[in-house]
Amino acid sequence: MAVVLDVLASYVQNMLTEMVKEEVHMLLGVSGEIDKMCTKLGDLKNSLADADRRNITDQSVQAWVRELKGAMYESSDILDLCHLKSMERQPGMDAGCFNPLLFCMRNPLHAHEISSRIKNLNKRLDGIKNRGTAFDFINLGSYEDRNRMLASSHLSKRETSGELDISCVVGEKIEVDTRNLVQMMTQGRGTNYGDKKILIFAIEGVGGIGKTTLAQNIFNNNIIQQEFTKKIWLSVNQEFDKIELLRRTIAEAGGDHQAARNTNTKGALERILKKVLDGHKTLLVMDDVWNNEAWECVLKTPLVNVLACGSRVVVMTRDIRVARGMMAEEPYHHVKKLEPEVAWSLLKNQIVGHENNEHQIDMLKDIGMEIIEKCDGLPLAVKVMAGFLRQKRTRRGDWENVLNDSIWSVSQMPEELNYAIYLSYQDLHPSLKSCFLHYSILPKSTCFFLDEIVGMWISEGFLHGNSHDLEELGRQHYEELILRNLIEPDKKYIDQQVCSMHDVVRSFAQYVARNEALVAHRIGSDIIGKINSQKLIWLSIETTGSESDELEWSFLQAQISVRTLILVGHVKFKPSDSFHSFSCLRILHIQSAKFEALSESFFRLKHLRYLSIKHSNISRLPESIGKMKFLQYIYLFRCESLVKLPHSIVKLRQLRLLNLSGTSVNHIPRVWKNWGLSHTLELHIRGLENVPSSSFASKAKLSEKVRLSYLRLSCTIRHGDDGLVKDEGIFEQEQRLIEEVFDELCPPPCVENLPIIRYFGQRLPKWMLSTSVMPLGNLRILTMIDLPCCKELPDGLCQLPCLEFLQVDRAPSIKNIGPKFLQTSDQEHLDHPENLGSIVDLEVLESPELERIRNLPKLQRLCISMCPKIKGLEGLPALQMLKLEDYDMKTLPGYLQDIKLRHLQIDCNKSLLTSIAKVTAYAEDDIDRVARKWYVSYTRDPFSFETNIITFSPSTFFSGEGEETHGSASQRARKPLPNIRCLRRFPSGPEK
């Protein structure tokens, strides 16, 4: 099941509706046939949800679904061709609609061909519909109804309790997390509900990651036992009965279970619950919560009125929105996957029997670690595999059989693991299911940004709605997958632009799509066999680059139905190769392959919406690209040999995005410059030092781009490693000109993300200086990289109402960040800290003159890298996390003793590291340059101390300005910084 049936049917129905609206069916003479097709698809949709559900495991249903999908794919191709012929005959028409197809009347042969194909499709659909009656599909009705039925069928299998299996508690991390959460639960402030105080904590993460085990460890902690007079554990589940939930709460609280059983009204049960909990300091744990209704509509009212102050609620969920809805304390605790050694300990604990066979198991650790790798740190997967190994003898051959066995296919895995991921999948809306499945075929080692992923979803037809709103809808789908913990943001990138998918989740998704999708990480006889024998819709292949793993283009020619083709790595092309076989292709992504000759046959890809060519030797696009009327997305990232665009690109009237980052293209066809930019969502403008006057910049009319959310402004001026201008080539006149140019590039109010790169003016643009005319009311992310001449950041930046993240990288002349409070109105600002904006995340990198960061009352996270002159951090009451990076530090800076933090991370040299005893710190290896090889981790209360430095003599030393009072650290020669840095990147990375 590559594309969910419901989504594919909706896609075809939308195309048919458009035809009817534009009277295309009448011009073709097939109005009756079109009406029949609409009716048949409507009738079939009633059973599609059940067919999708049964398609996962029922082979007979799988064959029926494949046949139905084949018919619908063909329908979309036929309707596409109608549209294409319309555009070819009427090049001036609006490409967003069909318009009356007069060409059909002029070309009866074409009309007859289309008519015949539609009639044949209707016959196929009749046969498919008739054969479908044998399966007795259930009409699940609405999306909510189908989820309720599916969830209720598994209620008995989702029960958990507060009892702890000690063999599941492995590694230091779970103990540290337990101590930290217990400390916060017993010492933190409360959240007001009426006149009582209850603190709510959230533990979130993907299914099977260990949320329940962590909560059980907390539930059984000695401090918790002493602190709370009542402890309640509730397994809530996806679908729950309100009356039954109240009864179970009463029973868990030690109330009259029999009285509760004999009571059927909510009010009476609430009174029983209040009586048993009145005045008690209570801990309530709610496991497996899928929405906040169990709290808001069932438990909140009776509990907040009677519980003693200091009562606590812990909620475990896969969906971050549950934590938000319950007003849980931030930050929520995100459970991460196990480190390999910890996962190995868990595997051993689950296998070691009463007989002392631990030594034998240790002898098999090499195979065990390969099994662990396949589990990708998911505790549930590790325990499932341990269950298999317990049934085997402790012999190398038996373990190797488990490693290589078909049990790794989801169909053979125990229901416990299947169900953990299946629940999350089945809870998705149909269109989101298709997006989730498509995400799983993206190569793991390749970085795909948000706009690329959304572009693929739009190109495949997963998203329906107003054309201008599709990217926003795609972003919402992407964010929902994050909220549900089905994909996880890579913290190295700004604004969740890059995510990863857990291997176990990916395996499940690929299994669900197995009949129509093939994902391969190497080329072998088995892969070639599958390509030759299986009819695929999605094909994703990643090669290692070696000759033995090189893909021959000719191997793919049999896949004439492929709609998404992703190739990463070396591909072997022959002079005669072309795209002739791929007439159905919607998405083409080719990366790191040399296929210059193939570009001439692009025009054969009539249905193509998405073209991505990265790191390729391609030097030109053919003029025939103008024939590819459906093209919406073109990525040419790092195609450095590409110097110009063909003039025919102006004919691509549906084009939504053109990315030329890393190419040698320095101009676009003039006719196309002013077309369609009023609805641009993202805009990158580079080489601004080449603009001859401010009047040219004013013609860009950025303020009129009413949908612009991302704007990048950059120059290409070069300077040295110290952040200073490389030569004396920037004169006062050039600085004045670039300032005037930037003054005219005032963004519209809708801009949310603004990177400014290599700006060499002495002052920032006027629209950043004046708060009275500041147009940046929606700005959330401001990134300024390489400001060699800028002397100060205006206080107005700190008054932007929505600014959350500020990054300043390589600004050698800036001394202060944050308001100075030197004017007569200072007291007014102090009395109203909301006037200082909402910056919660600040990164400052390689700014050698920076002395102070101050007066940012909402700042929570701060990263400081290679800023040696900082003397103070002032007015940062909300600061929780600080990352400090400086490999030349001799001592810790004095300002650290004046701030209170939850988390402090220091990247320094090994000499300083060995003298630290009150922080978490990392050091590189001075000889081997291994980043973060040495570490110290310490927490004061509750006590925890870890280090891998063998000869460690802890001492603590601070002085007013960071001078060491005892101990020494030798100054070392400056080396290049390691790859691990505080800097977070944005799409495509800054231009080099």
Side-chain angles (χ1 to χ4, degrees), residues 145 163 193 255 325 335 358 438 471 522 540 623 649 664 704 725 743 764 768 780 809 852 892 941 958 966:
D145 289 340
E163 296 301 315
Y193 286 112
V335 181
E358 184 173 358
H438 197 274
E471 274 82 7
R522 60 176 179 79
S540 175
E623 279 293 331
I649 202 169
S664 299
E704 298 179 11
V725 179
D743 286 344
L764 288 176
M768 298 181 75
R780 297 187 301 110
D809 185 11
R852 297 189 182 278
L892 293 179
D941 187 14
F958 292 98
H966 64 273

Side-chain angles (χ1 to χ4, degrees), residues 612-628:
S612 176
I613 307 170
K614 292 187 174 183
H615 300 277
S616 170
N617 67 332
I618 188 169
S619 61
R620 59 183 295 272
L621 293 176
E623 279 293 331
S624 60
I625 198 171
K627 297 180 180 180
M628 301 166 68

Side-chain angles (χ1 to χ4, degrees), residues 645 649 658 660 665-674 677:
L645 297 176
I649 202 169
L658 175 63
L660 301 172
V665 175
N666 53 24
H667 71 279
I668 58 176
R670 182 173 298 278
V671 177
W672 194 65
K673 287 182 181 179
N674 296 320
L677 292 180

